Amino acid sequence: MLPFSKALEAILNSVCVLSSEKVSITHSLNRILAEDIKSDIDMPPCDRAVMDGYACRRADLDKELSIVEVIPAGKKPEKEIGPKQCAKIMTGAPIPKGADCVIMVEHTKKPADKTVSIFGENTNNFIRYKGEDIKTGQVVLHKGTLVKPQHIAVLASAGYTEVPVTKRPKVGIIATGDELVEPHIKPENWQLRNSNSFQLAAQFETIGAAVTYYGIAKDSIDVIDKFFKKAADECDVITLSGGVSMGDFDFGPEIFKKNNIKLLFEKIALKPGKPLVFGVKKGFYCFGIPGNPVSAFVVTELLIKPFLYKLMGHEYSPVNLKLPLAETITRKDTERLGWFPVKITSDGRVKSIDYHGSAHINSLSDADGLISMDVSIAEISKGSLVHIRLV
Ligand code: AMP
Ligand code: MG
């Protein structure tokens, strides 16, 4: 069995990053930047007021000052500030020539209509200086960045209405299993509702993939092959769920081989998620995903998510919290890297969740995250600090 780290390495090493396209800034959320983004202007482009107040010369703070003009944001100052002069200025307005500070309005009083005098301590200049945040030509966002709302503000201020991003991977989902029915059907007691396809689609869409669901294929080589060929024509990545284990009707690996896919592995030392199959053929990738929904979720989170991000040129590193374990957890099978669903308590400790194994769908609904137990480790004792991978 391939160690988990080797499997992840093999998957990531096989990736050729997808080509790029331009999308409107309003459609760039959650996409991955395909180029460095540079600013075409200084930010701020000139010295600007940070407060509503009076722009004047620091040497004059103890004098009564005459007001020579009012400068709202968006107006170019017309007058230079001389000795014993000031301009009334609003937040964001350009600082007039001659002024070296802004005194906030709260620290001023007006002895007459056209004059102002200043009191209080005024050590802060309240000026944002030209180029203080960003210089012209500076890289403001790096290639490979996953675009979040705060990046969209940076793109807008750097003048990018069209944003270069990598293309979304086209991911095809095929469910396999004679026992499966779609969710709108009430299953007979020998049947099972297809939950994986919808869970997988949601996981892939969260990452930004363009998902196509091809339906449930019966457990027959010819039927699965037909589904596979249609999906292969249309997708960059195919995920086949179920049919990748040791059963008489598990045809996943056979289908891949029949279609000249080079299999890099068929089993990994992971629990849940041992029967994971991965194969490649020149920029086309196939995953055979275990049928049980918790396994499918875990392999997608741990292996397919970093893979899809890398396909888009983004290096995914999950946020891990480190918190103490509220109770000792133990296990018997120590041959594989194990993952367990956990909850974070209101006092910041980690509790395990009632979990009966990889078919136990709703164990994940209560989980805040997953924690791992390394190969050959059978116990993590109460109070130990554990890393929680949030899900
Ligand atoms: P398999 O890998 O085909 O042997 O499937 C392992 C287990 O996962 C079996 O109990 C299947 O019924 C179940 N399973 C397979 N596919 C799905 C699916 N799409 N949704 C929910 N459970 C599934
Ligand atoms: Mg099956």
Side-chain angles (χ1 to χ4, degrees), residues 15-47:
V15 167
C16 296
V17 176
L18 295 171
S19 58
S20 64
E21 61 184 346
K22 286 209 167 152
V23 295
S24 129
I25 187 170
T26 52
H27 291 113
S28 63
L29 184 66
N30 290 332
R31 301 295 298 267
I32 310 294
L33 295 178
E35 291 169 20
D36 285 346
I37 302 295
K38 293 181 180 166
S39 180
D40 61 346
I41 49 167
D42 284 340
M43 292 286 294
C46 67
D47 296 350

Side-chain angles (χ1 to χ4, degrees), residues 176-179 219 241-244 249-250:
T176 70
D178 284 354
E179 75 282 29
D219 285 320
S241 88
V244 289
F249 305 97
D250 289 343

Side-chain angles (χ1 to χ4, degrees), residues 176 179-180 192-196 241-243 250 291-292:
T176 70
E179 75 282 29
L180 297 179
L192 186 71
R193 283 188 173 123
N194 169 23
S195 57
N196 281 348
S241 88
D250 289 343
N292 274 317

Side-chain angles (χ1 to χ4, degrees), residues 14-188:
S14 71
V15 167
C16 296
V17 176
L18 295 171
S19 58
S20 64
E21 61 184 346
K22 286 209 167 152
V23 295
S24 129
I25 187 170
T26 52
H27 291 113
S28 63
L29 184 66
N30 290 332
R31 301 295 298 267
I32 310 294
L33 295 178
E35 291 169 20
D36 285 346
I37 302 295
K38 293 181 180 166
S39 180
D40 61 346
I41 49 167
D42 284 340
M43 292 286 294
C46 67
D47 296 350
R48 296 214 168 156
V50 174
M51 290 281 178
D52 295 321
Y54 293 86
C56 61
R57 296 147 55 112
R58 186 160 281 288
D60 288 346
L61 296 192
D62 54 348
K63 304 177 184 99
E64 188 172 324
L65 305 177
S66 61
I67 304 167
V68 297
E69 71 172 318
V70 177
I71 316 172
K75 182 173 177 258
K76 207 171 160 197
E78 282 165 7
K79 300 199 172 125
E80 187 166 343
I81 304 299
K84 291 175 69 177
Q85 290 184 333
C86 70
K88 191 166 192 199
I89 194 162
M90 311 301 143
T91 303
I95 303 291
K97 266 200 195 128
D100 56 11
C101 64
V102 172
I103 304 302
M104 60 168 121
V105 76
E106 293 88 335
H107 282 194
T108 62
K109 51 183 182 256
K110 294 188 85 270
D113 196 26
K114 293 267 185 226
T115 67
V116 70
S117 56
I118 291 159
F119 63 86
E121 208 190 321
N122 293 292
T123 48
N124 195 330
N125 286 345
F126 290 123
I127 296 174
R128 279 176 68 219
Y129 293 97
K130 174 175 156 63
E132 178 180 298
D133 299 339
I134 296 163
K135 303 258 185 301
T136 302
Q138 187 181 329
V139 174
V140 284
L141 295 172
H142 289 277
K143 178 179 172 176
T145 299
L146 167 62
V147 178
K148 297 182 187 166
Q150 58 269 41
H151 299 127
I152 290 184
V154 178
L155 288 165
S157 53
Y160 280 77
T161 48
E162 296 288 308
V163 183
V165 294
T166 39
K167 287 189 175 150
R168 303 170 70 192
K170 287 183 241 150
V171 183
I173 295 177
I174 302 168
T176 70
D178 284 354
E179 75 282 29
L180 297 179
V181 294
E182 293 296 19
H184 63 280
I185 294 169
K186 188 154 189 196
E188 301 292 348

